[in-house]
Structure formats: structure tokens, C-alpha cells
Amino acid sequence: MYAISGKDDMTIWTLPERPARGPKPVYSRAQITEAAIRVADAEGLEAATMRRVAAEIGTGAMSLYRYVPSRDDLLELMADRLTGELDLAGVPSGDWRADLTRYADELRAMWRRHPWIGGVRRSLPGLGPNQLVLIERLMGVLDPHVPIDENLGLVALLNGYVEGVVREEIGAAEQLRRSGLSEPEWMARSHAHVDRLVKSGDHPIFTKIVTEARRPHLSRDDQFRHGLRRVLDCVAAALPPAT
Amino acid sequence: MYAISGKDDMTIWTLPERPARGPKPVYSRAQITEAAIRVADAEGLEAATMRRVAAEIGTGAMSLYRYVPSRDDLLELMADRLTGELDLAGVPSGDWRADLTRYADELRAMWRRHPWIGGVRRSLPGLGPNQLVLIERLMGVLDPHVPIDENLGLVALLNGYVEGVVREEIGAAEQLRRSGLSEPEWMARSHAHVDRLVKSGDHPIFTKIVTEARRPHLSRDDQFRHGLRRVLDCVAAALPPAT
DNA sequence: CTCCACTGAGTACGTTGTACGCAATTGCGG
DNA sequence: CCGCAATTGCGTACAACGTACTCAGTGGAG
């Protein structure tokens, strides 16, 4: 009877945005989602509280509950909106390698635009409209070539690679942001600890990683593309030989 | 001056557990970490609040702060403790394929024992003692064969695969647990939504996935091993031909 | 026009992480 | 052996969170 009734529904996606009678709603799910994303981009996911998001669109916290059953559902909406940012027009094109490269690049770019997406805990693949479109396009790339089980596994592999790499890329910056320290200050602090580990001599491979990381190497982009090529080779191996 | 002073330290790992003078501590970091893991295993990560964990060892919330600077740091400790559950004795053994398979199996098993680990947001690879040991052992497997950059990429790939698969395996169960519904009730609800999508006919590939998932197929273990083999083939391709 | 489903939004509650204070305990310097 | 100071366990208190409940006001259906 109150707000949007989540009574019989498991996800937001089954709740219609607007019923019939009554005054015209002033806001909208899309507007609220947008505002939440704006806040998260600027100040991190933890800053995107109900009150803060409401203030962003110039209203009080409780007004949001006319549009969204809970904060978790709002996060779901945000995730779907972000999925919508992936530009996969024309996919599948027939060239699976190009398609998957395109997807990987888009996904990485999106993560870098919205690093907080890694903090949105989703226990199941989302069923929002944008996410459903993504499934059709992305899985459609390999669907003609492999059984669906195999396809799922390969896509999971690709996603895993991209996510892993991006998390690593983002990690340091995110931690820096949350520490609230200045960059040089933060660098000094963390280097101090790492240096102690290195000097101890007990961690030769860790040392190797660290010293390697400190000297110039391939650009992030090149590293990403290089690893991606390997993943795609791996995909190719799972395809029938004629493709 | 109060509690454990996190003044100059970026991570817990640089904070000594115990200084000199004063009364003997009744508890310990290890004990608190253990209690927190027990709670998280039984009731989920969100149940592992400071008060709940403290109650678990029979004290008040504020006592924990004599051992741990913050809840985030406690999560860090928990993650490291879980890493310690991975049994990699004898790795690297010289047989890289066996080693990586062993690691993948151990990692998957650990995630299934503690599904909440997916909710611990770590922005950087941990630097706890167990995590450092893991780095040495795991990266040591491929270190003789490939440059460190390549090694990092391959390990990221492997981790990504395992994590992706396990998240999928865990997802439904986790969501069921959080909904608080009975299993048949939950099944009915989610099937209703999915059925609607399927019946709409707009999502052929989604439909394929769903119908496929409903009929019996390979066991989870076999699926995992199958995909893993493919990942390892991919790794093999990146190694010098003689190995 | 009347009705009532709906709106925006304030107030209030339970729960969280944790800052602070204080009495009790211990090891160390004398 | 004696105190001093460091450090303990832990209660109280607070700010911030998600959100249940409330109510006056709005506007389309009858």
C-alpha cells in the first residue's frame, strides 16, 4: 500500500514504473539513476546514499522510494544503465574476433569511466533491459559456432580477463582516493611498506613484480590488447576449425 | 593514543599486533578473524558486524578496536586468512599444468566454502602474509618460463576464469539466501519473470540459455574442468615451445 | 463534482561504524 | 618493592545510514 509495493516481485524489472491515477510524478527512475551515477562518479559509490542522491535532484530522501523499492534496487538500475553505455551497434557482425575485441574495449572503457561498478555486488547476472540486449548481442557472436554451454564458458572467460585487468588498473587509484591522502604522500607511504618487503629478501617474485612495475614498459593499452589477443586465441581453439 | 593507532600506517600489515607494556591481551587478531569468518559463513557477510563478531567471542564491540583499526581492516584480515586455506604445499612442483589445476581447484573449493568472499571489495591485491606466500608459489609456477609481465597476465586470466565460474555457481544460492524466501517459493517467483521474458520471443539466445539450464547436463565439476583445460591450453600457447 | 489512488516529503526508528572516557591491570625503572 | 605509564576491556554516545510510517495535497475517472 505504501510507495512502490515490492510485495510480489523479486526484481525491479517486474515493477512497472508508473501506475494510472494520481498527480503526475515529478521525477523518474531514469533521472534518479542518472543522479546516482553522477554522484558515484564524482565521490564514489559510498557517497551515493539515498539522501545524497535525493539532494542531487533537489528533493528529500523519502521521495526516491516512490520510484525505487530500495537502495539495492537502485544499484541494480545503475548497473543496467552502465551496461547501456556499451556501444555494440552492429554486433554480431560476422567477424567474431572484431566483435569480441570491440566488446572488451568498450567494457574496459566503461569500467574506467565508472570504477565504482566493481563495488556493486551482483549475485546474479542482471536482467535489466540493457543487460538483456547485451546478452543477445554478445552471446550472439559465438552462438553460430559453439553450443550454448561452451559459449557461456567462453564469455565468462573473456569477462573474467577484462574484469581482472581493469580491477588491477583501477585498484591503486581507487585506494588512493579512499585514503584521502595526497598522491605523493600516498606513494611514499605505500612504497615504504613495499620496500620493507623487498628488502627482506623473502619474496623474490614479489620483488620482481615490483621492480618491473617501476620501470617503464608497454602502455596499459598495449598490455591489455596483448593479453586480449591471447584470450581470443584461446577462444579460437574452442571453435570448429573452419572459422 | 587510542586503540591501535593507525596514524602512520596504510595497511594493517605494518601495525604490530602487540606492543610492550600493559595487561595481557585477552583476545587476538587471529581469534577475532576466526570469529568473523564463522559468522560470515553462517549468516553472510552483512551479519558480520562489529557487535556480532564481538558477541561471538563474548565481549563488547569496542574491544575489537584494540586489535583491529577498523572493520575494513578486519575484512582484509579475513581475506588473508582465507587465502591461507589454499593448500599449495609442493607448488611449484615442476609440472606447471598440474600446479595450476591444483590452484584452480583449491580456489574454487575455497570460494564455495566461503561465498561471501565475493563481497569483500579489495581495491588492491592484498599484502598479507598468506597472500604473499600465494604470490610466490603461484607466480613461481610460470616464472621459469615467461617474463613477469606475461606471467601476471596469465595468472589474471586464470583467476578471472575461476572467479567468473564460481560467481555464477554461487549467485543463485546467494540470492536465495538473501531473499529469505523458501526455495520452492523463490524458484516459482524467479521462474515467473524469466518465463515472461522467454514467452515474449524477443530474446532467443536468453531463451536458449534458460532452457538449456533446465535440462540435465554435465556436472558442475566436469564443466569447470572442461573450461579450465581450455584456459590452460591458452596458457600453454603463451609458453616457449619446449615446455 | 466527488472520490480516492496517487504524489512529495517530513519525522522517527533501528542499526551501523566508531570516537571518547574511565577504571582496572601489568611490566619496568628505581 | 613501589609507583608510573602504557595498555587493557568495555560502556556510553553520536553521526549517518536505510527505510517505515504519516499526512496534506493533486488530479483523472465516475
Side-chain angles (χ1 to χ4, degrees):
Chain A
M1 211 57 68
Y2 49 91
I4 273 188
S5 111
K7 233 182 350 180
D8 307 317
D9 293 289
M10 303 268 333
T11 73
I12 328 193
W13 309 118
T14 55
L15 279 182
E17 166 131 28
R18 295 283 103 224
R21 276 236 277 298
K24 268 178 200 142
V26 179
Y27 313 108
S28 70
R29 271 190 200 169
Q31 185 187 359
I32 292 170
T33 307
E34 218 69 42
I37 290 175
R38 222 176 308 129
V39 173
D41 283 344
E43 306 166 43
L45 187 60
E46 69 279 357
T49 68
M50 297 304 265
R51 285 170 233 263
R52 182 74 182 72
V53 172
E56 183 76 11
I57 60 172
T59 183
M62 290 316 293
S63 298
L64 302 188
Y65 288 92
R66 295 284 168 195
Y67 302 84
V68 163
S70 76
R71 181 170 188 266
D72 279 353
D73 291 292
L74 177 54
L75 293 182
E76 200 86 22
L77 288 174
M78 293 162 75
D80 187 67
R81 233 293 334 247
L82 256 48
T83 303
E85 284 188 13
L86 304 177
D87 177 11
L88 294 182
V91 171
S93 69
D95 179 348
W96 65 264
R97 215 167 169 113
D99 287 347
L100 294 187
T101 302
R102 166 102 159 275
Y103 168 69
D105 285 342
E106 286 280 331
L107 185 59
R108 173 162 172 260
M110 188 268 271
W111 270 68
R112 291 163 65 114
R113 273 192 306 266
H114 312 287
W116 48 266
I117 189 61
V120 178
R121 167 127 124 281
R122 288 215 317 293
S123 40
L124 273 186
L127 295 180
N130 289 309
Q131 286 155 340
L132 287 173
V133 168
L134 173 65
I135 289 176
E136 296 300 313
R137 288 192 182 275
L138 177 57
M139 303 275 305
V141 170
L142 294 182
D143 190 59
H145 310 304
V146 299
I148 196 77
D149 277 14
E150 197 89 354
N151 198 344
L152 279 170
L154 292 171
V155 166
L157 176 64
L158 179 59
N159 274 321
Y161 170 72
V162 175
E163 207 173 303
V165 169
V166 177
R167 277 199 132 96
E168 202 171 313
E169 288 183 3
I170 286 173
E174 192 76 348
Q175 186 144 317
L176 166 61
R177 187 185 60 74
R178 259 194 290 170
S179 77
L181 269 51
S182 76
E183 175 151 356
E185 179 77 6
W186 186 83
M187 286 287 274
R189 294 276 177 88
S190 34
H191 273 56
H193 178 208
V194 168
D195 277 342
R196 212 167 314 133
L197 287 172
V198 166
K199 291 241 177 60
S200 81
D202 293 330
H203 310 285
I205 297 189
F206 176 76
T207 301
K208 212 165 167 181
I209 297 170
V210 171
T211 53
E212 190 76 13
R214 280 182 188 170
R215 74 155 181 265
H217 38 207
L218 284 177
S219 80
R220 291 267 182 217
D221 288 1
D222 289 340
Q223 266 181 277
F224 178 72
R225 287 314 257 281
H226 176 73
L228 179 59
R229 207 162 323 146
R230 199 168 34 231
V231 172
L232 295 185
D233 287 346
C234 181
V235 171
L239 263 40
T243 38
Chain B
M1 210 60 66
Y2 49 91
I4 274 187
S5 109
K7 233 181 353 185
D8 309 316
D9 292 289
M10 304 267 332
T11 74
I12 328 193
W13 310 117
T14 55
L15 279 182
E17 164 130 28
R18 295 284 103 226
R21 275 234 278 298
K24 268 177 200 143
V26 179
Y27 314 107
S28 70
R29 268 187 203 173
Q31 185 187 0
I32 292 170
T33 307
E34 218 69 43
I37 290 175
R38 222 177 308 129
V39 173
D41 282 345
E43 306 166 43
L45 186 61
E46 69 281 355
T49 67
M50 297 306 264
R51 287 170 234 263
R52 181 75 183 72
V53 171
E56 183 77 10
I57 60 172
T59 184
M62 289 317 292
S63 298
L64 302 188
Y65 288 91
R66 294 287 169 194
Y67 301 86
V68 164
S70 76
R71 182 171 189 266
D72 279 353
D73 292 292
L74 177 54
L75 294 181
E76 200 86 21
L77 288 175
M78 292 163 75
D80 187 67
R81 232 296 328 253
L82 257 47
T83 303
E85 283 188 14
L86 303 178
D87 177 12
L88 293 183
V91 171
S93 69
D95 179 349
W96 65 264
R97 214 165 170 115
D99 286 346
L100 294 187
T101 303
R102 165 101 161 275
Y103 168 69
D105 285 342
E106 285 280 331
L107 185 58
R108 174 163 171 260
M110 188 268 270
W111 269 66
R112 291 164 64 115
R113 272 193 307 265
H114 312 287
W116 47 266
I117 189 61
V120 178
R121 164 127 124 281
R122 290 216 314 296
S123 40
L124 272 185
L127 294 180
N130 288 308
Q131 286 156 338
L132 287 173
V133 169
L134 173 64
I135 290 175
E136 295 301 312
R137 287 191 182 277
L138 177 57
M139 303 276 304
V141 170
L142 295 182
D143 191 59
H145 310 304
V146 299
I148 197 73
D149 277 12
E150 197 90 353
N151 198 343
L152 279 170
L154 293 170
V155 166
L157 176 63
L158 179 59
N159 274 322
Y161 170 72
V162 175
E163 208 173 303
V165 169
V166 177
R167 277 201 132 97
E168 202 171 314
E169 288 184 4
I170 285 173
E174 191 77 348
Q175 186 143 317
L176 167 60
R177 186 184 62 72
R178 259 193 289 170
S179 77
L181 268 50
S182 75
E183 174 152 356
E185 180 76 7
W186 186 82
M187 287 286 275
R189 295 274 177 87
S190 31
H191 273 57
H193 179 207
V194 169
D195 276 342
R196 211 166 314 135
L197 288 173
V198 166
K199 291 242 177 62
S200 82
D202 293 330
H203 310 285
I205 296 189
F206 176 75
T207 301
K208 211 165 168 181
I209 297 171
V210 171
T211 54
E212 190 75 11
R214 281 183 185 166
R215 72 154 183 266
H217 38 210
L218 284 177
S219 79
R220 292 264 183 222
D221 289 359
D222 289 339
Q223 267 182 275
F224 179 71
R225 287 312 257 283
H226 176 73
L228 180 58
R229 207 160 329 152
R230 198 171 31 235
V231 173
L232 294 185
D233 288 345
C234 181
V235 172
L239 263 41
T243 37

